[in-house]
Amino acid sequence: MEYTIKERTGSKIVFTTKNTREEIENKKKEAYKKIAQKVTVPGFRKGKAPYEMGVPFVGEGRVLEEAVDILLEKNLVEFLDKEKINPIVQPDVKVDKLEEDELICTYTVEFLPEVNIDLSEKIEVFYEKPDIEKDVETKLNELQDSFTEIVPVERAIQNGDVVSLTWQVEGRDKELKNNTLEIGKDKFIGNFDENIIGKKKGDRFAIDFKDEKIAINVLQVKEKHVVPIDDSLAKQAGYENLEQLKNKIREEAEENSRLQAEEERGLKALNVLANKLDVEIPGKLVEKEIDERIQRARDEYLKIGKKIEDALKEENKTMDSLREEVKKVVVESIKNELVMKEIIKKSNVVVGDNEIEEEFNKLLETNGLADKKVPLNDNTRMAIEDNILRKKAILFMKENAIIKKREGDE
């Protein structure tokens, strides 16, 4: 096989291969042996008929087609081995010329680009000033919820009520399922909220959902008695007044923000390097990742009886705009992964067997399997090792990073 490289970029290579008559004939004989195992030739056992006598029964076209497939794979493997390329998605191949004395094909192969990172320099990561007042509002709302009473009522269901119910799929479920939901807040199925508004305790009704009927029985209706956010609430929480409570929340928010910045320093340093990365990301890999993420989103919407197209329309978006949004996330994710692998390689971090076994035992304990004889197989070992390597790489970056405040931040 001869090959010629026609185009080469940071993540893609296009090349042509040429096979001679001799190579084609050899592979036709190899292909015949493979096919002949399933074909009966009169006077011979299966697979035992000589090439010249068996081909008319097998079919010349079928033999040639199989021979081409064998050559296509052989050419690709040889090329990748010689050029030291590791494809990340299925390569594209096109047969340009197929005659008795010559086979010419064009291959397009995508691979991950090489990344060169200097880990000797300190990396500046910026401290993001927290929105303290937003944190205050969030904490006050949480405190308000904790003091809110939920009281049973004998009236029609309204938006914001907390409803206990049983439900089952008619004709399929034998046992009733129980749920407690806040109407207008908690997602259930289909147009549930619209159907339950106005119902009362003891009411039974059904909802059409995915060609099935969901039978629902209202067990109890409760309303929320929300306490106002004022000095009275602050005193219930142990403070003199609302302003003192707010100041305490501000102090805690600032301290938590500082601790979080310290904790995330390594990961932010990795993101800084990834954002600076000027490499070509394989297009087919990006499209594959986009398709998979959108399909997962589509499946999640279907669980609540909704099409993703309808959800996009409500947000004045299109599938094209969604793909562009997802593309940015995918490219960023791939760049982060490239940087992570380079950090692991250049920082020379290693993982010992004792670390893997210790982490494995922690996992068993967390999942309630500590007293079970669960073996540490090769796949689990590799996954644990990779996870520890990543943690060590982040720790390495943390030591290499300096937190700085942006101009104007106090």
Side-chain angles (χ1 to χ4, degrees), residues 159-370:
N159 196 43
D161 285 344
V162 177
V163 178
S164 297
L165 53 84
T166 60
W167 66 277
Q168 66 182 150
V169 180
E170 292 184 351
R172 191 182 75 183
D173 292 342
K174 293 182 179 179
E175 296 183 1
L176 294 173
K177 300 179 180 68
N178 294 282
N179 274 83
T180 297
L181 306 163
E182 182 176 336
I183 308 305
K185 178 180 178 183
D186 298 328
K187 295 293 183 183
F188 190 39
I189 52 174
N191 57 347
F192 167 77
D193 284 359
E194 298 172 18
N195 279 271
I196 201 167
I197 296 291
K199 299 292 191 300
K200 296 180 180 179
K201 175 182 177 180
D203 283 355
R204 298 172 181 271
F205 62 101
I207 295 176
D208 293 325
F209 181 68
K210 293 184 178 179
D211 299 324
E212 294 181 316
K213 280 194 175 295
I214 314 298
I216 298 172
N217 177 27
V218 181
L219 300 179
Q220 193 171 46
V221 181
K222 296 180 181 181
E223 67 179 11
K224 298 170 72 174
H225 289 183
V226 181
V227 297
I229 298 176
D230 55 17
D231 289 344
S232 177
L233 174 64
K235 286 176 181 178
Q236 290 185 67
Y239 296 88
E240 291 183 7
N241 52 50
L242 184 59
E243 192 56 35
Q244 187 186 64
L245 172 58
K246 287 183 176 181
N247 288 334
K248 182 61 178 177
I249 295 173
R250 291 186 183 103
E251 289 175 12
E252 291 178 350
E254 289 174 353
E255 177 63 9
N256 289 337
S257 177
R258 186 189 66 79
L259 292 173
Q260 186 177 0
E262 178 65 24
E263 184 66 26
E264 296 177 349
R265 188 171 60 176
L267 188 58
K268 285 188 175 182
L270 185 146
N271 290 335
V272 168
L273 291 179
N275 290 333
K276 289 181 179 179
L277 205 60
D278 185 18
V279 292
E280 182 182 74
I281 304 299
K284 283 184 70 176
L285 175 62
V286 172
E287 289 302 312
K288 177 173 174 288
E289 287 289 325
I290 292 173
D291 290 341
E292 290 178 357
R293 293 186 184 220
I294 289 180
Q295 185 58 51
R296 287 198 294 271
R298 187 183 297 278
D299 292 343
E300 287 301 313
Y301 275 112
L302 287 175
K303 287 180 183 177
I304 59 172
K306 202 169 189 177
K307 291 183 178 180
I308 192 172
E309 289 81 4
D310 294 335
L312 289 172
K313 193 176 293 183
E314 291 172 5
E315 298 178 21
N316 293 320
K317 293 181 180 179
T318 64
M319 187 58 73
D320 287 341
S321 66
L322 175 63
R323 290 189 70 87
E324 282 302 311
E325 288 179 17
V326 176
K327 182 178 180 179
K328 291 178 183 177
V329 176
V330 167
V331 170
E332 182 180 331
S333 175
I334 294 172
K335 285 186 175 182
N336 271 274
E337 185 64 16
L338 289 171
V339 171
M340 172 64 79
K341 289 182 177 179
E342 189 69 5
I343 292 169
I344 290 173
K345 183 172 72 175
K346 285 193 172 180
S347 61
N348 296 318
V349 292
V350 293
V351 179
D353 289 340
N354 59 325
E355 293 178 278
I356 295 174
E357 290 168 8
E358 184 180 340
E359 186 66 22
F360 179 63
N361 290 330
K362 286 181 182 177
L363 287 172
L364 292 180
E365 188 173 339
T366 301
N367 291 282
L369 300 171

Side-chain angles (χ1 to χ4, degrees), residues 22-23 36 45 51 61 103 106 199 226 288 323 330 387:
E22 183 180 358
E23 290 175 304
R45 287 179 294 158
Y51 176 78
L103 169 65
T106 299
K199 299 292 191 300
V226 181
K288 177 173 174 288
R323 290 189 70 87
V330 167
N387 189 44

